Amino acid sequence: MLNKILEKIVLVASRATKPKDTTYFHESRPKKPARFRGKHFINAETCIGCYACERACPIGAIIMVPTGLKRPRAMPTVNLGRCCYCGLCEDACPTKEKSIYLTEKYEMIVEEVELTPLIDDLWAKPVGDITKNPLVIKDLQKQKQQKEGK
Ligand code: SF4
Ligand code: SF4
C-alpha cells in the first residue's frame, strides 16, 4: 500500500517538472495544415442564386433562403454542424469570383457560443450589401425605366 502511494507521489513529482502536454486554446492556436477548409464565406454582393452549391452538396448542408427579390431569388446558408467541409459547393459556384468559398476560419464555436450553444444551430449566412449585387441593380434600373416609360 505504502509502495503504491510512493509510486504515485514520484509520478506526480516527475510530471510536475515536465513541460505541459496541453495548452489553452487561446494561448496557442493549432497550426493549420495547408489547404485547410474552415467556415464558409458567402458573398451577397456576387451570388446569382443559381442553386449550384446546394445541388453539389452531398449531405444537404446548404439551404437556399428566399431573398424576396426577383433576382437572386434565394441565397445559400450553410449548416456548419452538418457540413463535412468537402469544398464541393465552392467548386460548383459558377461566378467569376467564387460567391461561396471555405475560409481558414475555424473558431466558430468559441466566438458564437453565447448566442448559439449548439453546433447544429451554427450557420454561415450571406455577408455584404445585397443592393450592390449587379442583378439587383439591373432589376431596380429596369423597374425605374418602366415607371418612367409610363
Ligand atoms: S463544404 Fe461540402 S458538405 Fe459543406 S456545404 Fe459545401 S458541399 Fe456541403
Ligand atoms: S453561392 Fe454560387 S453556386 Fe451558390 S447560389 Fe450563389 S452563385 Fe450559385
Side-chain angles (χ1 to χ4, degrees):
M1 177 73 178
L2 192 64
N3 271 359
K4 281 207 169 170
I5 292 172
L6 279 173
E7 252 176 51
K8 299 274 181 216
I9 290 171
V10 171
L11 181 71
V12 169
S14 69
R15 295 299 300 168
T17 55
K18 280 188 179 171
K20 278 190 289 180
D21 290 330
T22 55
T23 52
Y24 285 110
F25 180 75
H26 287 293
E27 274 178 11
S28 153
R29 284 167 161 68
K31 255 194 176 174
K32 279 174 285 212
R35 304 182 67 202
F36 175 86
R37 294 191 292 249
K39 187 177 183 176
H40 306 59
F41 182 82
I42 302 162
N43 193 343
E45 295 176 14
T46 57
C47 173
I48 57 173
C50 67
Y51 285 69
C53 53
E54 189 224 25
R55 281 195 298 268
C57 182
I59 49 172
I62 297 180
I63 288 180
M64 297 297 288
V65 176
T67 58
L69 299 167
K70 194 176 162 201
R71 294 185 309 166
R73 274 188 303 134
M75 284 193 184
T77 56
V78 181
N79 184 334
L80 299 168
R82 176 175 283 208
C83 174
C84 66
Y85 301 87
C86 64
L88 291 177
C89 50
E90 178 177 334
D91 294 344
C93 183
T95 55
K96 197 175 168 197
E97 276 176 37
K98 296 283 182 187
S99 298
I100 185 167
Y101 59 86
L102 283 77
T103 66
E104 292 197 337
K105 194 175 172 197
Y106 61 90
E107 294 167 352
M108 52 195 105
I109 299 168
V110 176
E111 283 178 12
E112 297 168 29
V113 71
E114 281 166 23
L115 298 173
T116 48
L118 299 172
I119 187 166
D120 209 38
D121 288 339
L122 289 171
W123 295 80
K125 294 174 184 167
V127 174
D129 184 356
I130 197 169
T131 62
K132 289 182 183 166
N133 188 305
L135 292 180
V136 177
I137 294 170
K138 256 189 202 169
D139 286 343
L140 286 175
Q141 279 171 349
K142 238 189 210 173
Q143 275 177 20
K144 203 179 160 195
Q145 282 166 358
Q146 280 170 351
K147 265 186 194 170
E148 284 169 357
K150 274 183 185 175

